[in-house]
Amino acid sequence: MLKISTKSQYGLRAMVCLAKSKDKICSLRSISEKEDIPFDYLEKIISRLEKANLVKAKKGIQGGYFLAQKSTEIKVGKIIRVLEGKMSLVKCIGEKEKHLCPREKRCVTKNFWEKIQDTLNTALDSLTLDDLILPKNILETRYKTKK
Amino acid sequence: MLKISTKSQYGLRAMVCLAKSKDKICSLRSISEKEDIPFDYLEKIISRLEKANLVKAKKGIQGGYFLAQKSTEIKVGKIIRVLEGKMSLVKCIGEKEKHLCPREKRCVTKNFWEKIQDTLNTALDSLTLDDLILPKNILETRYKTKK
DNA sequence: CTAAAACCGACTGATATAGTCGGTTTTTAT
DNA sequence: ATAAAAACCGACTATATCAGTCGGTTTTAG
């Protein structure tokens, strides 16, 4: 059905939430409540984001998470790719030098899928977290021009 | 992991196979062999394509399938959407007037996902079956200009 | 009449998703 | 010092979808 996982959707919302809080540290509990994300699940999600160096944590009481980089420097595509795992629409592309499919040479569709994949990645990378917290009309024009 | 199902991949290859055969009727057996697609599975796939009026069948010996329209008139996106089922990347978009998510109004990411969805659909619709059977370099330029 | 084809519905095994749960460690406020 | 609030971690589960198989029926050309 070609769905973006809730993991990515939740993760992106959590990141936007952090971006909106600027430098103020946010506990998972507060994000979970503000964004209606199951707390336990959010823990798993944020842990992947942390390992990918997109957020940093402060432990202990009054602790929480904050962005590891400026919101203008975090492309949405980065977030999605981290959470979605290796994101190749079809298994025969992506792994650069590995020829996974014996039909590769004579396959007319491989080339097509590569184009689609590329288009998708470009679209996801065309906006940063910062763009998402701007008013809607600004988003529109940025998306158009950056592409 | 955001994968296009093998159903769509197989289905597209089968359609390309039919496009290449022009008006010559093709049995599933022959397509299955040429394209290395499990025969039984291919039956299910072609059945969906037939119900969607993308191919027509002739029963009995010497029977088979052929395109229901000209290959220049069948957009790849149509094929993929038929096989992939309703293709909305996130569940809260797509159903036009149904407001599925209580957070809809204040959700900053909904708008973003709609853009991505739109970009993807446009990309898939930018080429027809006929484009896919042309030499690679022609494909490149068509894809670029049509987008 | 028979073989080759389309057609159909039920079944299955594997994998991924979307969580949940129980517990440990770290830190700060009192 | 200690209790509470937070991050951190690994194991577990239920559900759904995918990818494919199987057994059988119907149609039609030769």
Side-chain angles (χ1 to χ4, degrees), chain A residues 1 27-28 43 50 57-61 63-65:
Chain A
M1 253 202 276
S27 73
L28 278 199
E43 276 195 319
E50 195 186 6
K58 178 157 176 286
K59 288 183 88 171
I61 206 166
Y65 291 92

Side-chain angles (χ1 to χ4, degrees), chain A residues 76-92:
Chain A
V76 175
K78 180 73 190 295
I79 299 168
I80 306 302
R81 280 187 295 271
V82 162
L83 294 175
E84 209 68 19
K86 59 181 281 299
M87 218 182 47
S88 59
L89 289 176
V90 295
K91 73 172 185 315
C92 57

Side-chain angles (χ1 to χ4, degrees), chain B residues 1 27-28 43 50 57 59-61 64-65:
Chain B
M1 254 202 277
S27 73
L28 278 198
E43 276 195 320
E50 195 186 6
K59 287 183 88 169
I61 205 164
Y65 291 91

Side-chain angles (χ1 to χ4, degrees), chain A:
Chain A
M1 253 202 276
L2 199 65
K3 278 242 159 6
I4 293 280
S5 65
T6 61
K7 203 183 288 183
S8 294
Q9 296 176 53
Y10 288 161
L12 180 56
R13 285 188 1 224
M15 289 295 278
V16 167
C17 191
L18 289 179
K20 282 199 278 195
S21 322
K22 296 282 174 185
D23 296 322
K24 199 159 69 66
I25 210 165
C26 294
S27 73
L28 278 199
R29 189 66 63 183
S30 74
I31 298 175
S32 151
E33 278 160 13
K34 260 187 263 183
E35 292 290 329
D36 303 298
I37 301 170
F39 176 81
D40 290 320
Y41 199 27
L42 184 55
E43 276 195 319
K44 286 182 64 165
I45 294 168
I46 205 88
S47 135
R48 295 183 65 155
L49 294 170
E50 195 186 6
K51 290 197 180 81
N53 240 326
L54 287 169
V55 299
K56 285 197 198 308
K58 178 157 176 286
K59 288 183 88 171
I61 206 166
Q62 302 279 57
Y65 291 92
F66 54 97
L67 296 183
Q69 298 143 61
K70 275 186 279 185
S71 61
T72 51
E73 281 162 9
I74 302 178
K75 289 175 182 172
V76 175
K78 180 73 190 295
I79 299 168
I80 306 302
R81 280 187 295 271
V82 162
L83 294 175
E84 209 68 19
K86 59 181 281 299
M87 218 182 47
S88 59
L89 289 176
V90 295
K91 73 172 185 315
C92 57
I93 61 175
E95 313 281 313
K96 26 199 162 253
E97 288 313 315
K98 291 183 184 167
H99 301 289
L100 303 140
C101 177
R103 304 185 62 267
E104 194 181 20
K105 270 288 172 289
R106 59 202 158 99
C107 181
V108 289
T109 56
K110 176 165 187 283
N111 202 248
F112 171 75
W113 290 122
E114 279 171 345
K115 300 247 153 306
I116 299 297
Q117 174 81 65
D118 191 57
T119 298
L120 184 59
N121 273 319
T122 303
L124 290 173
D125 280 335
S126 70
L127 294 175
T128 68
L129 265 191
D130 190 58
D131 295 324
L132 291 192
I133 66 180
L134 297 171
K136 190 176 158 184
N137 57 326
I138 300 190
L139 178 70
E140 304 280 341
T141 52
R142 289 219 181 171
Y143 189 73
K144 283 216 180 69
T145 57
K146 284 201 189 176
K147 281 215 65 210

